[in-house]
Amino acid sequence: MPPARGSAACAALPFLSAILAVVLIACSGAPPRKPAEELPPAGPPPSVSPPRPGGGIAPRPPDVAGARFLRIRIDDGTGTTTLAGETVRVWDADGRLAAEARGSVTLGAIGDRVRFNGTRLLGSAVDVAGQPELRVGKQRVDGRVRLIARNGQILAVAVVPLETYVAAVVSREAPPLFHPEALKAQAVATRTYAAFSARKPRDPAYDLVGSVEDQVFEGIDGVAEVFRDAAGGTSGLVLLYRGEPARTVFHSTCGGRTESAANAWGRDVPYLRSQSCDDCSGSPVYRWAYRMTVGEGRRVARAMGIPAGEQLQIIVTDRASSGRAARVRIVSGGVARETQAAEFRKAAGYSRVRSLWMEIEPAAEGWLVSGRGYGHGVGMCQFGANGMAKAGSGFREILARYYPGTELSREAP
Ligand SMILES: [Zn+2]
């Protein structure tokens, strides 16, 4: 149940506000990817080609030598992409310089061909780089970006060194005031999730999406030293389960007990089982409440296909063994529909109904929805990790607790 790409909560970039940081990390509240089938397949990982120097605009050498790369989709899904740099150069699939511009250019697509600045038609895929730097939308990226035209849409895929990606993601998925050991645990989880994803890419053209669907990546700007230290201090480390990268999902705050992958997504994963966790009790969203108005309840009901009239009822009808709501029934005017509780949460908004560990009670002029924790609850509890770190645990201990049965390894296979 991935929320909308680039949701408002994730588009804002506060670095120093603890409260907004909570909002940001809660972006991981939606399960990155659907469950099950995505256990890593056997066989070698897909090759990711390194940045190709072109026309004298080469990525910085330290980013190339010996580094692994990820292909991250960074366009905003609107169908066009704005590129900016003092000079922007475009190469076609054969490596020939196809276009050059100064300042800002817009790339769109006509069918399966890239349209350059509203006029020239290029091939179906081009590589771009900027001098001295390139911005794609608001994001500053390093190295090469590939633009692909597909059915009238343009996809922008940044080829990012793995460790650059890890530091940038940790900067958006965790608050800077977290304990350094908790940030290191986050860095390993982030790197492992990327390694897991690269073995079964989302699309032939990219490994991961740079939003809450996978992990939030917003370019290389604003990555504070604490985050680079967390990545650097764990460089190359990943968690393996039976020799394969683990699916190291995480969430803001479990609220007292984590959720199992089986309950959340319908398939058991041995290292993603429910366990008690009180280390997140210092989280501002350990407990929460949301007053849902009648108007909002009607909107949610309509979003779920119920023509909401008078006497609207919203009832939790089934719960998972962890205590989280599994099914919700909506009744109005003789029409009833029962759905997955996750669908209700999505319709209400992830930042309002912060988790499925909730009670829904009729209240004056609407409902009182009260609950525990923030996010899907599966895998590492970020505030729990921070609580453990503050109490003296190192990142290895934190990871062993939240992903039991996995092993820390220096290199992804
Ligand atoms: Zn917790």
Side-chain angles (χ1 to χ4, degrees), residues 251-258 276-281 286 381-385 401-402:
H251 59 279
S252 161
T253 302
C254 75
R257 172 163 278 281
T258 67
S276 71
C277 162
D278 284 327
D279 295 287
C280 55
S281 59
Y286 188 64
C381 168
Q382 293 175 301
F383 271 87
R401 187 257 184 97
Y402 289 110

Side-chain angles (χ1 to χ4, degrees), residues 298 309-313 331-333 367:
R298 286 185 180 150
E310 297 305 311
Q311 297 183 333
L312 179 64
Q313 292 178 281
V331 185
S332 178
W367 296 266

